[in-house]
Amino acid sequence: MSDEDEEELILSELSDEELVPQMHDDLYDGLKEEVEEGVYILLERGWEPYAVLTNALVEGMRIVGIDFRDGILFVPEVLLAANAMKTGMAILKPLLAETGAPRMGKMVIGTVKGDIHDIGKNLVSMMMEGAGFEVVDLGINNPVENYLEAIENEKPDILGMSALLTTTMPYMKVVIDRLVELGLRDDFVVLVGGAPLNEDFSKAIGADAYCRDAAVAVETAKEFMARKHNVLSAG
C-alpha cells in the first residue's frame, strides 16, 4: 500500500454510517489493525460492546460466510478475515463479560480420536465465534472422555465433531452412542463435518445435521438455536 492510499482514508474521520461498512470491507480483506482501530473508535463514540460485535464484526463475517459458501472466497482468505475478527473480539470479550451481553449459544467442538486434521474445525470455530457463539475448541484426537468432560463442564447447546479420514469417521458414532447410553443425547444439537462425510452418514450415526463447510455450520447452528428459543418462549 502506498502512502497516498494511507492518507486517503482516516477511519476516525468517517461517520458511524461510513465506518461500519468500511469495517466490513477491512474484515473481508483480513486487515487486523484497521479492524482493531475501528472497534476502538466505535467504543470511544459510546457504542455498546454488543452493538459493535453484532453490527461491525458479526455482520462483516456474515458477508464473508456468504461469499465463502458461494465460492467467491476460499479457505486462506476466510482464515485471514477470521483472524482479523479475532483481534476485534479480543477487545470486546472482557467488555461483553462485564455487560452480560446475550450470546447466540455455546458450542463444544473437536476433531475425533485418531484424527489430527484441524483446518476445517478451526475455520468452523472462528466462523461460529464471528456469528456470536461462544466456542470451546477441544483440538484434535479427542476420545469420548474429552467430549463428555467438556459437556459436563461447559453445558453447551451444540456439540461439533470433525473427521477428515474415512478410518476415523466411525468414531463419531462411538461418541453419540455413549451420549445415548448416558441419557445425554437430547440435551444438545450434534453437528458433524469433514470431507469424507455426507448427509446419509450423519443420519446413520444419529447426528442432527451434516455441515459440508464452515458457512453451512454457522447457518445450521443458527437455525437450531432459533428453534430452541422459539420452543422455550412458547413453553
Side-chain angles (χ1 to χ4, degrees):
M1 215 183 202
S2 71
D3 291 343
E4 283 173 22
D5 287 337
E6 288 283 6
E7 283 165 14
E8 273 173 30
L9 193 65
I10 297 169
L11 294 180
S12 57
E13 290 180 0
L14 298 178
S15 68
D16 290 2
E17 288 72 24
E18 296 166 316
L19 178 58
V20 171
Q22 182 59 45
M23 287 177 72
H24 297 164
D25 289 348
D26 291 341
L27 191 62
Y28 194 95
D29 295 334
L31 304 175
K32 278 187 181 184
E33 285 168 19
E34 287 83 345
V35 170
E36 198 172 340
E37 188 187 343
V39 169
Y40 278 125
I41 291 167
L42 290 176
L43 290 171
E44 278 163 22
R45 291 180 185 177
W47 278 53
E48 290 290 326
Y50 188 67
V52 179
L53 173 71
T54 49
N55 297 330
L57 300 184
V58 172
E59 180 56 24
M61 281 304 285
R62 189 184 71 80
I63 297 163
V64 169
I66 289 168
D67 281 4
F68 177 53
R69 182 194 67 202
D70 294 344
I72 297 162
L73 286 179
F74 299 98
V75 169
E77 295 142 317
V78 177
L79 286 173
L80 280 175
N83 275 323
M85 182 213 74
K86 278 202 149 174
T87 60
M89 284 286 287
I91 302 160
L92 294 174
K93 259 187 178 165
L95 302 173
L96 289 165
E98 280 170 31
T99 54
R103 302 288 299 171
M104 282 291 297
K106 192 178 206 182
M107 180 185 208
V108 163
I109 187 171
T111 305
V112 296
K113 186 178 175 182
D115 208 315
I116 56 168
H117 295 89
D118 65 354
I119 290 177
K121 172 188 64 63
N122 293 349
L123 199 53
V124 171
S125 294
M126 288 175 173
M127 298 271 293
M128 290 288 284
E129 282 196 335
F133 283 84
E134 187 179 343
V135 178
V136 178
D137 190 337
L138 305 179
I140 56 173
N141 194 21
N142 286 288
V144 171
E145 292 72 24
N146 290 14
Y147 291 107
L148 292 177
E149 189 181 333
I151 285 162
E152 190 178 332
N153 294 338
E154 304 293 343
K155 310 281 188 287
D157 303 290
I158 299 167
L159 173 64
M161 288 189 284
S162 166
L164 213 79
L165 303 171
T166 49
T167 49
T168 56
M169 280 165 55
Y171 197 79
M172 292 178 169
K173 187 172 186 319
V174 174
V175 177
I176 292 173
D177 286 351
R178 179 70 67 85
L179 295 174
V180 171
E181 279 169 31
L182 296 171
L184 299 172
R185 175 61 191 87
D186 295 336
D187 293 355
F188 37 75
V189 173
V190 177
L191 303 182
V192 295
L197 278 68
N198 57 35
E199 195 68 54
D200 291 341
F201 175 78
S202 111
K203 285 196 180 111
I205 62 168
D208 288 294
Y210 155 70
C211 306
R212 73 168 189 276
D213 61 36
V216 173
V218 170
E219 284 172 20
T220 308
K222 280 181 172 174
E223 281 167 22
F224 275 109
M225 292 312 297
R227 269 186 242 168
K228 183 174 178 175
H229 291 313
N230 288 341
V231 169
L232 290 175
S233 55

